[in-house]
Amino acid sequence: RVLTEFRLEIPIAVLLTLIFLQDGYRSELPDLAYLTFLDSVYVIAYLVAMMSFALVIYLDGLKRKVDSLENAEQRHGLLAKIRRLEKAWPAMSLLVMVLLSTLSWALI
């Protein structure tokens, strides 16, 4: 339970950090009628942080389900799925950030 609460705090802290960073850089610029590349990078970062938050909640639900299962084979399969998601998410999120940022840069 403590580990889940800790994992929930990380995306929340990232979202708050992104908000203050974006506000800080926007305060130095004049008001623009269009989005800049950095704005698009922040939007992508917000989306990845929210997906991370949703993933933590989803994995917590799966872990609770594992605790209630009596069939050892089902438990093993569900635990393997949880481990795969936990290991794959950091690389997937980085890949999403890079690809979407590159696409955003190309579309400017």
Side-chain angles (χ1 to χ4, degrees):
R1 183 110 185 121
V2 172
L3 183 59
T4 300
E5 290 174 3
F6 176 71
R7 287 184 177 175
L8 279 173
E9 291 172 0
I10 294 172
I12 293 169
V14 168
L15 282 171
L16 288 172
T17 303
L18 286 170
I19 290 168
F20 286 109
L21 284 173
Q22 187 177 22
D23 183 55
Y25 109 86
R26 293 290 288 178
S27 67
E28 299 294 322
L29 294 176
D31 286 336
L32 301 173
Y34 55 89
L35 292 177
T36 64
F37 171 70
L38 197 51
D39 289 326
S40 67
V41 171
Y42 276 111
V43 168
I44 295 165
Y46 286 130
L47 291 174
V48 170
M50 286 185 250
M51 289 184 337
S52 296
F53 186 71
L55 182 66
V56 169
I57 292 171
Y58 175 70
L59 290 177
D60 184 53
L62 286 180
K63 289 174 184 175
R64 290 174 191 262
K65 187 175 180 180
V66 165
D67 293 338
S68 66
L69 288 176
E70 294 178 9
N71 186 341
E73 186 176 310
Q74 288 178 338
R75 287 176 64 115
H76 180 69
L78 205 50
L79 286 171
K81 180 179 180 178
I82 291 169
R83 280 189 215 105
R84 274 194 315 270
L85 285 171
E86 286 178 338
K87 286 183 180 181
W89 175 246
M92 285 179 8
S93 65
L94 181 62
L95 182 65
V96 166
M97 289 282 298
V98 169
L99 288 177
L100 290 178
S101 296
T102 304
L103 180 67
S104 176
W105 180 260
L107 293 176
I108 289 181

